[in-house]
Every structure is written in C-alpha cells, then in structure tokens.
C-alpha cells in the first residue's frame, strides 16, 4: 500500500499528506519537500526544487543594463578609525636605583683595591720619611709618593661613597625581594632605610639591623654580617682617632700618623671585602659573582656495620718468608 508523504529537509521526518501539501514541518519548523509516494524509490532527502540564476530585471521586465564604471574607492585623508593599539616606546629615562644596585659589587671591589693600594703607598711614604733622616730624597720620588697616597686615599673615599649609595639601593632591592618571597610587607619604608644608612651615628647601627632582618636561617650569613658590622664600627672609630692624631704637632707624630693612616686604609679595605662577601652571600653567589652551587644533605640509612671477630692466635696461619716476599 503506497502512502503520499512529505519529508522534512531539516529533521528528515516523514509526514503523511492528508489534504493539500503542507509547507512547514510540525516538529522542527523546517521546509517540507514535495510529496512523494512510499512505493517510489526516491531518496527521502531529495529536494523538490532547484535554483535557477537569471539576470536582474527592471520594473518593465527587461534586463538591466550594466552600470557605468565607477572610480576606484580611495580615502581623501588618513582614516581616523581603527583598533587602538598603542605601542609603548622604550623609556629614555634610566632606572638609576637599579643601576646603582647592580654596580654595588663593582664599587666595593674597586674600593677594596684602592684602599689596599693606599696601604702600600702609606708604607712607602713612611720608608721615605725614615730615609730622609740621614739622606736627602729626590723630588721626583717625593712627587711619586704624594701622588700614590692621594690616588689611594682620595680614590678610596670616592668609591667608598659610591659603594655606600649603591649599597643602600641594593639593600632596598634585597629587602623588597625577601619580603615578597615571604609574602609579607616590609615594616620599614624606603625613607627609614635611607635615613638609617645616611645619618651619621645611625649609620653605625642601623645597616646591620636592616641586613639581619632579611636573613633567613643562614648562620654563615649572620656571622658575616656581625663581623662586617664590628669592623665597620671599628673603622669609623679609627677614622675619628686618625683625625685627632693628625692635630698633634711634631715630626714623630706625623710619622706615626702615616702608619696610622696605613692601618686605617687596611681596615677600610677589609671592611669593603667583607661587605662584598655579605652582598654575594645574600645573593646566593660566590665572591667572584658566579652562581653558588646548591648542596643538599641527605641522611644515608643502611645496615649497621658488622663487627668481624679476629681469629685466635692458634688459628692464625703462619706466614713464611716466601709469602712475605710475594706479597
């Protein structure tokens, strides 16, 4: 028995035609195809219509004439519309605090070298003074000695000042990173750190406190900071004593002042070296600046050593001369 049905072009559902053909599917509201009989072997998804392309028509029914060629579209000016894509130009201003913090180790190295050179320059001047007791000194040798002392002492003071500025910038950066790793806020502001490191008197106490606040469970770093702190205070006291000693009259006092200046320069050089060691230690680097290898200690577990019983004297084998020579 054949039945006339309509197939939905969307859901492929079949709907019997009871009267006139329907246009829309009751289920999905898709387009119903032309009615077909079920006994015909026509594919259910075949369409009952086809597209035909025709030329556009005028109102009168005749074909429209091709339009006249128009000029190529162009802009009279640069268009002001479009996506806003700002490109950040590299800042011409340098980040001086970060630059000085990176140069702190270099400044400390040069400071230690200049003060070490000042030690030998002061000892050379003392030798010139001793020789001058019995003989006249060549003016060229005196000029070389004066220049060496000036370069060592003045250059050391200049780079010590640069080391102090760079050290404060480095300390601020180190505190910022340490408290950021601990996910806490720094209890001291940048102004507190700068004032504590710059004001005379406070700069003998507060730098050590600021350093100890960022050290986390590192006994070697704590020891380095304490040794540097002690030497820093001793050097400041030694500088004041040196100024007092230079006010004394007499040739012997001047000669002793030269030795005292040499000793002060030696302490200053050692202080710079210790400050460099503290800086490298807190950065996790060696004294030369290389990355310090990480050592991990692991508890080794194993069977306890077994005690080997020594054989009795009666059971010990006899060793002949031939066996001794062969062994």
């Amino acid at each position: 028995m054949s039945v006339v049905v309509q197939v939905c072009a969307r859901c492929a559902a079949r709907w019997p035609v009871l009267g006139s053909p329907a246009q829309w599917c009751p289920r999905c509201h898709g387009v119903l195809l032309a009615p077909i009989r079920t006994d015909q072997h026509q594919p259910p998804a075949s369409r009952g219509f086809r597209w035909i392309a025709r030329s556009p028509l005028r109102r009168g029914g005749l074909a429209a004439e091709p339009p006249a060629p128009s000029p190529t579209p162009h802009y009279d000016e640069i268009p002001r519309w479009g996506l806003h894509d700002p490109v950040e130009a590299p800042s011409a201003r340098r980040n001086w605090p970060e630059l000085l913090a990176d140069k702190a180790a270099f400044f400390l190295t040069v400071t230690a070298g200049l003060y070490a050179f000042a030690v030998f320059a002061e000892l050379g001047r003392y030798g010139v003074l001793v020789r001058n007791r019995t003989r006249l000194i060549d003016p060229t040798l005196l000029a070389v000695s004066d220049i060496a002392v000036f370069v060592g002492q003045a250059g050391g003071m200049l780079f010590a000042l640069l080391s102090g500025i760079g050290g404060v910038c480095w300390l601020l950066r180190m505190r910022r990173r340490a408290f950021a790793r601990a996910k806490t806020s720094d209890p001291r502001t940048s102004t507190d750190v700068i004032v504590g490191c710059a004001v005379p008197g406070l700069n003998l106490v507060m730098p050590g406190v600021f350093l100890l606040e960022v050290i986390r469970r590192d006994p070697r770093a704590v020891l380095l900071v304490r040794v540097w702190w002690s030497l820093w205070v001793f050097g400041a006291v030694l500088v004041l004593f040196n100024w007092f000693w230079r006010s004394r009259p007499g040739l012997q006092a001047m000669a002793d002042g030269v030795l005292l200046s040499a000793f002060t320069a030696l302490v200053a050089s050692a202080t710079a070296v210790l400050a460099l060691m503290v800086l490298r230690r807190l950065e996790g680097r060696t004294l030369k600046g290389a990355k310090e290898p990480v050592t991990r200690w692991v508890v080794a577990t194993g069977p306890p050593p077994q005690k080997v019983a020594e054989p009795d004297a009666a059971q010990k084998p006899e060793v002949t001369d031939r066996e001794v020579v062969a062994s």
Side-chain angles (χ1 to χ4, degrees), residues 140-229:
T140 304
L141 181 60
L142 284 176
V144 171
S145 177
D146 292 340
I147 292 174
V149 171
F150 177 78
V151 169
Q153 295 288 359
M157 291 178 62
L158 176 61
F159 275 90
L161 179 60
L162 294 176
S163 300
I165 297 174
V168 173
C169 297
W170 175 86
L171 180 59
L172 290 173
R173 185 178 67 181
M174 181 58 61
R175 290 179 64 90
R176 183 172 62 253
R177 292 179 178 178
F179 285 101
R181 286 194 300 266
K183 297 181 180 180
T184 57
S185 59
D186 192 348
R188 303 183 186 275
T189 62
S190 301
T191 305
D192 296 338
V193 177
I194 294 174
V195 170
C197 295
V199 176
L202 287 178
N203 56 5
L204 299 180
V205 180
M206 298 309 297
V209 176
F210 295 151
L211 286 172
L212 291 177
E213 288 178 349
V214 298
I215 296 176
R216 304 297 184 194
R217 299 179 182 179
D218 191 351
R220 183 180 176 184
V222 173
L223 179 61
L224 281 175
V225 170
R226 289 177 178 175
V227 173
W228 168 83
W229 196 356

Side-chain angles (χ1 to χ4, degrees), residues 10 19 39 42 86 93 112 114 128 157 164-165 197 214 268 270 292 325:
R10 178 182 295 178
D39 56 351
Q42 184 178 0
R93 298 179 58 186
L114 287 174
V128 170
M157 291 178 62
I165 297 174
C197 295
V214 298
E292 189 174 8
V325 173

Side-chain angles (χ1 to χ4, degrees), residues 121-137:
E122 294 287 356
L123 293 178
R125 170 177 282 186
Y126 187 80
V128 170
L129 293 176
V130 172
R131 185 176 178 82
N132 193 27
R133 296 178 60 183
T134 57
R135 297 181 182 181
L136 294 177
I137 304 299

Side-chain angles (χ1 to χ4, degrees), residues 61-103:
L62 300 177
E65 298 179 358
S70 61
T72 304
H74 64 281
Y75 294 106
D76 296 333
E77 59 181 4
I78 298 177
R80 304 299 180 184
W81 49 267
L83 297 177
H84 184 63
D85 188 14
V87 179
E88 296 183 359
S91 179
R93 298 179 58 186
R94 293 185 178 181
N95 192 352
W96 288 106
E98 288 294 329
L99 182 61
L100 291 174
D102 294 336
K103 294 293 184 180

